Amino acid sequence: MKANIVLLGPPGSGKGTQGEMLSEELGYAKLSTGDMLREAVRNKTPLGLEAKAYMDGGGLVPNDLIIGLMKEKIASLAPGTGAIFDGFPRTVEQADSLGEQIDVDLALNLDVADGEIVKRLTFRRSCSKCNAVYHLEYNPPKRDGLCDKCGSALYQRDDDMEETVRNRLKVYREKTLPLIEYYESKGRLVTIEGVGDIAGIFAKVKKAVE
Ligand code: ADP
Ligand code: ADP
Ligand code: ZN
């Protein structure tokens, strides 16, 4: 059966990395609000122009903008297709909105401590074309500065500077952490230790999904 899966966890916990692998493995659609917002910023759309300042400061983009953006995307999912939500919901209001549209079968919480997060994000490199992510030390691309998957140049996100990362962690604790209890109380939560080698974590992720 096709499932709807929400990826929870602080910034840098591996949602993008694991979500990408899971989406390839299961053939599910992956919806990443961060990727959608960065594309909107690059294209200078009205949404992008409004979202940019929030993102640069490491704060959350207002709920009404995110909910508006996701409503359409969720509505356009083919019925019965499994979906992986990466970076959404990030607030209880967003989770309530998602729950009105679809049933969340599984909320996978990747547990990673703050010190590790800072090391991960300050050395993260991202592909602006296909959204693949790398780490200069832990998961380097095969060719320096180039994406393994599509060959495009990698870049460092503006919000992956240490000071902004610290703010994102604070915002995560205030706004997003309550979602752990939210999905726990619905009996949908599985927490996975998100530290260690990427393939080992993926094995645990797959097990939770099966
Ligand atoms: P990370 O992968 O590091 O967790 P994302 O790429 O998911 O970060 O998000 C980057 C930024 O985009 C966030 O810091 C926030 O400003 C904005 N953003 C992404 N998703 C949401 C959301 N669901 N609600 C509000 N803001 C969001
Ligand atoms: P998120 O989407 O939750 O912000 P990412 O998947 O983008 O997280 O991962 C953040 C950074 O950490 C990236 O540079 C990625 O290559 C790296 N990373 C992901 N998983 C691991 C892991 N298990 N061990 C070490 N580094 C990792
Ligand atoms: Zn790429």
Side-chain angles (χ1 to χ4, degrees), residues 112-134:
V112 179
D114 285 12
E116 169 77 9
I117 297 290
V118 175
K119 267 191 279 176
R120 284 189 186 184
L121 291 187
T122 47
F123 291 100
R124 170 159 67 182
R125 293 295 181 271
S126 308
C127 176
S128 58
K129 201 150 202 182
C130 77
N131 300 312
V133 290
Y134 301 87

Side-chain angles (χ1 to χ4, degrees), residues 10-18 86 116 120-121 123-125 133-135 138-139 194-198 201:
S13 56
K15 301 181 298 294
T17 302
Q18 296 294 332
D86 166 11
E116 169 77 9
R120 284 189 186 184
L121 291 187
F123 291 100
R124 170 159 67 182
R125 293 295 181 271
V133 290
Y134 301 87
H135 188 279
Y138 305 140
N139 182 26
V195 183
D197 100 299
I198 291 174
I201 296 167

Side-chain angles (χ1 to χ4, degrees), residues 59-199:
L60 292 185
V61 175
N63 278 327
D64 55 342
L65 289 180
I66 298 290
I67 289 171
L69 170 72
M70 288 303 284
K71 267 221 163 97
E72 285 174 38
K73 305 272 178 193
I74 297 165
S76 67
L77 287 171
T81 340
I84 298 166
F85 295 91
D86 166 11
F88 173 87
R90 259 181 160 91
T91 63
V92 169
E93 198 179 332
Q94 292 178 17
D96 283 339
S97 167
L98 177 64
E100 283 165 17
Q101 272 187 289
I102 56 151
D103 287 325
V104 171
D105 301 291
L106 176 67
L108 269 179
N109 175 36
L110 295 169
D111 190 22
V112 179
D114 285 12
E116 169 77 9
I117 297 290
V118 175
K119 267 191 279 176
R120 284 189 186 184
L121 291 187
T122 47
F123 291 100
R124 170 159 67 182
R125 293 295 181 271
S126 308
C127 176
S128 58
K129 201 150 202 182
C130 77
N131 300 312
V133 290
Y134 301 87
H135 188 279
L136 293 183
E137 190 181 330
Y138 305 140
N139 182 26
K142 293 194 179 75
R143 288 174 299 162
D144 256 7
L146 297 177
C147 179
D148 292 354
K149 292 192 177 145
C150 75
S152 301
L154 301 178
Y155 78 108
Q156 180 171 24
R157 277 168 48 176
D158 289 341
D159 61 346
D160 278 346
M161 305 296 161
E162 178 156 354
E163 206 185 300
T164 317
V165 168
R166 300 235 178 246
N167 192 40
R168 284 159 64 199
L169 284 169
K170 187 165 154 264
V171 169
Y172 167 77
R173 270 190 289 276
E174 282 167 14
K175 307 269 176 64
T176 310
L177 202 57
L179 293 183
I180 291 182
E181 215 157 283
Y182 181 97
Y183 286 114
E184 169 110 79
S185 73
K186 294 181 188 297
R188 294 288 186 260
L189 187 79
V190 172
T191 293
I192 288 176
E193 165 81 57
V195 183
D197 100 299
I198 291 174

